[in-house]
Amino acid sequence: MSSNTPSSSAAAAAGSADPSAARRNSKRPKYSKFTQQELPACKPILTPGWVISTFLIISVIFIPLGVISLFASQDVVEIVDRYDTECIPPSDRANKVAYIQGAANKSCNRTLTVPKEMKQPIYVYYQLENFYQNHRRYVKSRSDSQLRSVKDENQIDACKPEDDFGGQPIVPCGLIAWSLFNDTYTLSRKNQPLAVNKKGIAWKSDKEHKFGKNVFPKNFQKGNITGGARLNPKIPLSEQEDLIVWMRTAALPTFRKLYGKIESDLHKGDTIEVNLQNNYNTYSFSGKKKLVLSTTSWLGGKNDFLGIAYLTVGGICFVLALAFTVMYLVKPRRLGDPTYLSWNRIPGGR
Amino acid sequence: MVRPGELSVDSSTNHLRTPSRTVTLGRIQPQAPTYRTVYCNDRDSNYLVRLKCLHGNSISTTKYNVFTFLPKGLFEQFRRIANIYFLGISCLSMTPISPVNPITNVAPLSMVLLVSLIKEAFEDWKRFQNDMSINNSTVEVLQDQLWVPIPWRKLQVGDIIKIKKDGFFPADLLFLSSINPDGICYVETANLDGETNLKIRKALERTWDYLTPEKASEFNGEIQCEQPNNSLYTFTGNLIVEKQTLPLSPDQLLLRGCSLRNTEYIVGAVIFTGHETKVMMNAMNAPSKRSTLEKKLDKLIITIFCALVIMCLIGAIGCAIVTDRDHFYLGLHKKDCEYRNGLTYYLLVPQIAFFTFFTLVILFSTIIPISLYVSIEMIKFIQSTQFINRDLHMYHVETNTPASARTSNLNEELGQVEYIFSDKTGTHTRNLMEFFKCSIGGISYGCGITEIERGIAQRDGLKIHEEQRSTGAIREKGFNFDDPRLMRGGWRNEPNPNLCKEFFRCLAICHTVLPEGDESPEKIVYQAASPDEAALVTAAKNFGFFFYRRTPTMVSVRESHTEQMGKIQDVSYEILNVLEFNSTRKRQSVVCRYPDGRLVLYCKGADTVIFERLASGMDDVRKVTGEHLEHFGSSGLRTLCLAYKDLNPEAYDSWNERFIEAKSALRDREKKLDEVAELIEKDLILIGSTAIEDKLQEGVPTCIETLSRAGVKIWVLTGDKMETAINIAYACNLINNEMKQFIISSETNAIKEAEERGNQVEIERVIKEEVKKELKKSLEEAQQYLRTVGGPKLALVIDGKCLMYALDPALRITLLSLSLNCTSVVCCRVSPLQKAQVTSLVRKGAKKITLSIGDGANDVSMIQAAHVGVGISGMEGMQAVMASDFAIAQFRFLTDLLLVHGRWSYLRICKVVMYFFYKNLTFTLTQFWFTFRTGFSGQRFYDDWFQSLYNVFFTALPVIVLGLFEKDVSASLSKRYPELYREGIRNSFFKWRVVAVWASSAVYQSLVCYLFVTASAFDGKNSSGKTFGLWDVSTMVFTCLVIAVNLRILLMSNSITRWHHITVGGSILAWLVFAFVYCGIMTPRDRNENVYFVIYVLMSTFYFYFTLLLVPVVALLADFIYQGVERWFLPYDYQIVQEIHRHEPDSSNADQLEIANELTPEEARSYAISQLPREISKHTGFAFDSPGYESFFASQLGIYAPQKAWDVARRASMRSRPKAPKKN
C-alpha cells in the first residue's frame, strides 16, 4: 500500500481535500534538457547530396591509397619455390611418408633464378600449407610460464601430450615446440655461399619477454617419435629464434615463417643454388612446403590485396556516386515531398 | 456484517459459549484458530497475539534482507532463461572441452548479475527507507494516564491510542470514542478504495466515555474478533466490557491507511497491527506485464539459438570429416602417442563430433547477447523515471500531478497501441459537475455555452468568443451559473418568487451532503457522494440559501433575501425522513419540518419518475419544463427535476408509522421501503429542473482526433446511459454525423414487451435473438460499406445488456469482426466486468495491442485486462492508479504518452534490440568463419578477455545512449504528424524482414572484417619481414570490428548528441587503452601471454593503419548504400517528415492550428445545437448516475446496502490489485 505515510498520502489525497494546504512542495518536474529530451543534437539526413559526396570522398581517398599500396606491393620481388614433391626422389614418391620417416639422406638441391633486381635485405621464408597451426589442440599445447622462467618449468599442464619425459618436464613442452620445423636451407650463388643471417628474425617482444634468457631446452625430442627439430640444450630459449618464430602460431593453415635474412643484393638473372635438408614431415597430411625469397617494401611483403581492395572500393564508390547522380537526375524526388507520406498515398487508409 | 454466530466466546465472561471448547489458563486464553482475543490496555496479556505478529506494528515491504539478499536475488536473476543459458555455458566452459578460459563467460555473466543485483538492492533500499519513515511516524498512545507519542512500529495489539484530525490510522483500530458527542467520526478511505467521500464510523454507545486519558486508562475491554484477513468490508467480533458482550461490526473498525476527517480527535484500541492489518493483507505485488515486443524478442532469441545450434552442427560435422589423425603434430595418432589424457585419442568420429558440438556451443555462445536484457532494463528504467515521469508536457499544474510510469516494462508497448478502451466519467469528463442552467416554473435561466457545444463548434471551424460574464458573476467549483434574474436576490422580482424559494430550499435541504470545515460560505467544503449533489448545494449557497450544518436530525440553512433584500437568517429544518435514492426509484425525497411547523416533502429525481407523480393540472408547466429538459439534454447537460408537496400532519403520522415499520423489517426491507415511499411521493408540485454540466476534460476532443489520426481506435466503455454516452461521444468527436452508426440497444420494443411479460427465460431468449439478428445485420451492412471505396466510417453503439449476450461464445466472433471494422465503439451501461471482457475480447480475439484508461475503482478490472493500463491520477482516489501501469493526470496527456514517449520508446527499443542482435552476430560470425580454417577444431579467434569485454565494455554504452536519445522527429512533430504512430502499430521496426536485413548486414560485415584482414595479413608485414601470428591477426580483426560496430551506431542514429560522440569515441578509445594496457603487461602464471605486445607489434606496421581505414569503411559501406537507397526509393514516413522540417530548429512548437472562422457567441451556440444529433436528443440524462451513491447514502443511515455488481467487481479487483509499496 503506497500511502501509509501521512505526508505522502496527504499529498496523494489532496485532489479532493483542501486546496488551501497549498503544496509548497510542488511536484512539478524540474526542467532539464536531458529529461525533456531536448539535448542538442545534429540530425543527419542522408540526402542524395550527402550520399554522393560521401562516395566521392571515399573514392578520392581510396584510389590514391590503393595506387600507393599497389605500387609498394609491385616493388617487392618474390621468388617462390615449392619443393615438397620435387625433393623426394622419384622412386620414393609413391610413399612419401615412409621416405620422410626413413633414415635416407634428405638433402636436395634447388635452383632459383632471380627475376629482378633484389635489394638487401632479402628475407628467406618457408611457407607451409594445410598445416593447422591454429588448431585448438595445437594452439593451447604450450606453457608460456615455462618458456619464460626456469622456476616454472613444471608448468606443463597445458602441454599434453608432449609434457614430460619419464616424469621429467620437457622444456619447451607442448606440441608446438615438439613439431618445430626442421628443414634447413643453405644458399649459394655462383658457388659462393650466400650467408643467411638467422638473427633478428623474431619479434623483439617475444624474444625479450616470452622466452627466458636462462631457460635451456631439457628432455626435448627424447620421446619415441621426433616431431621436428632438435634444440641445442646449451643455448637459452631466448636465443633460439627459429623456435620463437615457430611458436608465434599462424592464424591460418597457410602461413609463412621467417627463416633468415640475406644481407646482400641479388641481381637480375642470378641463379641461386639451394641445398636443403628436407626433414620435415608434411607428407602424412599432404601439406605443401615452399621456399620463399622476398624483398620488402615499406608496407611489407608482396601482397596485392590491400592495393586491389582500396582501388576496387574507391572505384565502386566512384561508380556509385555516378549512379546516384544519374538516378538523381532521372528520377528525382523532391526532398520532403508530402505525397510520399503513406497516409497521403493511400487515401482513407487506416 | 455482524455474524456473531461464528465466534466462540470466552467462558468466564460470557454465558453464550460452549464451555467444553476452551481451556482456561488464568486470564490468558489459548487462541482458537478461528478468532483472537485482544485485551485492551494490557500489553502483558496479549503476548500470545504478539507472538504471531513478531514485528509489532512495523511493516516491511522489502523483498530481501541482508541475509536473503544474495540467495534470493540470485534466484530471481536466474529465473530469466537467458541467465540460465549463460550459467550453463559458464559451467560448460569449466570443462576440458572448452575452447575458452572460463573467465570469458563468467566475467560478462557476473557483470550482468552484478548490475541487476545493484539495481535490486537500490530499489529495495528505497523501499526500506520508506518503511522506516512509516514505521517511525509517531502516534499518541496511552501510558500511565498520559498520551505519550511513540513511533508507529512500537505500537502493540491492545494499545489505546489517540488520533487527531487528518491523522492516519497506524493500525486497524476499534473505534472507542470520539470528541463528537454522538460517538461518530468521519473517515476518508481514498487510499483503500479510491472513494473520496467521507464515511461515517460510529462507536458503540457503551464506549463513548473513554475519551480522556484518565478515563481511557480504566478501559479494560476484551475484544474477540476474527483472525486477520483481507476482506476490507467485513468484520465480526465481540467486545466484552464488564461482562457485557457487545457485537462489533465494520462500523467500529478504523482501517489502517484511512485518515480521520472532520473530527477533532478520536480514541481507539489496536486490534490488528503491521502485516496483519487488512490493508497489508491486501497488499500483493502487481502481476508484472511483459510487453509484446519483449515476447517477440523471445522469439528472436529462440531463432538465434536455433542458428547457434545449426552453426555448431555444421562445425561438428565439419570436424568429424576434417579431423585427420595424419596431422601428427596434433598428437592424435594412436601409434604415436599413448598418452593418458589425450582426450580425443580414444574417441570415434561421432564422439569427436559430439564433443566438438559443445565446444562450439561455448565458442559461439556470444551470439546470444548476454547484456541485452540488462541494457534494455536500464534504458527502460531511465526512460520511465527520467523521461516519462519528468515530462513537463505531462505535468498537470492544477492538480500538481506529474505523469508517473509505475512500471518500466511497458514503455515500448505504448508505441504500438491500436485500441484504447476508455472510461467516460473522470476520463473524458472531469467528473466536475457545475450547476449551469435551471428552469423554474417554466422559465429557463442561465446563459452560457457548454464545453460540448463549444467543442462541436470549434471542430467545425468556428470560434466562439469567451462570453462576457456579468460583473461579479460567481464562479466556483460546482457552480458556473450566471443570470442576473436569479442572482443576488434578483429572483424576488421574478414572476414566481415563491416557487423560486421552494426551488432553492429544495436544493438546500433535499440532499445527503456533509458540510466540512468552517461554517462560512467561502470556506465550507461539501462532502458528497456524487459531485452532482455538491454542485446543487453549492448552487443553493450562491442563490442565498447557504446550507452550513447537518446533524442527524437537523439541516441548518442560512437564508438571505427571503423576507427582504439583504436580510440574513439562520433556519433549521428538522429532517424527519430520508427516502433514499436507488436505481429503481431514480429519485430521492426528504420530509422536513419548518421551524414554523410546516411539513414539506422535497423530491428530486429523473424527469420521467417525477412527471409520473405530479399532481393533476400541471400540464402547462410540465410541457414547458419538458422542452427545457430536452434542450438541456442536447447541450450535454445532466438534469434533475425538483418537486415538493405540503404534507398534512395526520396523514404524515400514519405514513411515518408504516415507514418505520418498513425500515425495521428484516426481510425485503428495501422493497418495503420503496413501497412505502411510493405512498407519499405522489401528487407532487413541479418546481422546475436543474441542469448540470458534466465538464469535458480539457483537450479531450483534440486528443481523440489526434489519436484517431494516429490509427488508434478508441472505444468508450461507460456505465452511463446510452444517450449520455452518445452525446459525449459526439462531443469528443468519436462519432459524427457522417458516420454510419450501428446501434444495438436493449430498449427495443420487442425486448420491452418481453420484459413486461416478465418471464426471465423468455426475456433472455428474446434478447439473445434480437442481439443476434442485429449483429448479423450490422455486420453484413458494415462489410458492404467497407467494400465500397470511400464509404463512411462506421461506429457501433451497444449497451451492456446486449453486450452480455453478444459476448456469448456463439456471438463473440460476430461482435469482434463487426467492432473491428468500426472506427469507434461506444459501450454504455456496462459493468466493470464487462469492461474487462470487452478488453480481453480485443486483446485475445484480435491479438491487437490494447490500452485501457480509467480513473475509478470500476475501471480496475479493465485496466488490468489490457496490455497497458493507464490510470488518471490526481483527481479521485488511488484505486485505478494502483492497478495501472502508467498514471497521467489528464486524458489529453495520452497524446504525449503514446505519440511521443511510446513511439520513441518503441523506436528505441527496436533499434537497441536490432543493434544487439547485429553486433553479437557480427562478432560471432567472424569466429564462425575462422572455425572453417581451423579444421573445425573450435579454436577461439579472440583472446579471452577481448571476447568477454566485447559485450559489456567495448560496445555497451553507445547502444544505451542510442536507447535513450534516439529520436526520429521531434516531440512536436510527433504530435503534429500523428500518422507516424502507425509505423508502431504495424510494427514496422521489428519485423522478420528487418531482422533479415540486419542479419545480412552482420554476415556481410563479419565476412569483410574476417576476410579482408586475414587475406592481407599473409606474408611479412613490416619492412623487416617479420610475420604475424594468430593473435596479431585476431587483434587486428577485433579492432576493426570494434570500430565498425561502434560507428554503425552513428549510422543508424537519427539524432546524434554529444553523448553519442562521447560514448562511441569512448568505446573505441576504451578498447585501445585496454589493448595497450593488457598487451603491455606480463602477469605471472594466470594466463597465456598470447597477446603480449601484440598491439604494439601491430602499430609498428603501416599495414595496421591501412587496414584500419579500409575495413570499417568497406564494412559500413553496404549499410550506407542500403540506407541511402531505401531513403531514396522507399522512404519511411518519418524520413519524409524529417525532410520537410529539416531546416527547423528542434524546439519549434508549430502545432497550433489557427481556426479560420469566427462566430459570435449567439451564432456559435445555435450552430452548436444544430450540430447535435437531433434524432437521439430526446434524452434528458438525469444526474444521479454515479456509482457509490447508494452505498454512501446507506451508510449515512447506518444501513449496509446490499452489494452491487460493481462492488463485487471491485472487491475482486482488490485482491489482485497492486499494493506495491512504491512511493514517489
Side-chain angles (χ1 to χ4, degrees), chain B residues 987-1110:
Chain B
N987 200 9
S988 307
F989 302 122
F990 199 81
K991 286 199 271 209
W992 289 112
R993 200 182 71 84
V994 182
V995 175
V997 169
W998 278 102
S1000 28
S1001 162
V1003 170
Y1004 168 78
Q1005 292 196 14
S1006 60
L1007 275 174
V1008 166
C1009 285
Y1010 171 72
L1011 287 180
F1012 273 47
V1013 176
T1014 51
S1016 54
F1018 182 69
D1019 203 350
K1021 274 306 158 227
N1022 71 0
S1023 49
S1024 63
K1026 288 166 190 158
T1027 52
F1028 284 164
L1030 167 61
W1031 305 109
D1032 306 282
V1033 174
S1034 75
T1035 308
M1036 185 79 237
V1037 175
F1038 193 83
T1039 311
C1040 292
L1041 206 61
V1042 166
I1043 291 174
V1045 161
N1046 273 311
L1047 288 181
R1048 185 70 180 84
I1049 283 268
L1050 296 184
L1051 199 57
M1052 72 193 287
S1053 295
N1054 281 306
S1055 140
I1056 299 174
T1057 64
R1058 62 167 189 274
W1059 292 103
H1060 286 77
H1061 297 297
I1062 291 172
T1063 50
V1064 168
S1067 295
I1068 296 173
L1069 209 65
W1071 151 244
L1072 289 177
V1073 168
F1074 176 80
F1076 287 141
V1077 173
Y1078 181 73
C1079 293
I1081 50 165
M1082 276 279 191
T1083 46
R1085 291 187 45 175
D1086 66 328
R1087 64 181 171 110
N1088 286 342
E1089 317 289 354
N1090 295 321
V1091 293
Y1092 177 69
F1093 232 68
V1094 158
I1095 193 77
Y1096 301 100
V1097 163
L1098 284 172
M1099 291 185 78
S1100 68
T1101 64
F1102 278 107
Y1103 160 78
F1104 177 73
Y1105 305 101
F1106 268 68
T1107 317
L1108 221 51
L1109 176 65
L1110 175 71

Side-chain angles (χ1 to χ4, degrees), chain B residues 351 605 972:
Chain B
Q351 287 168 309
S972 58

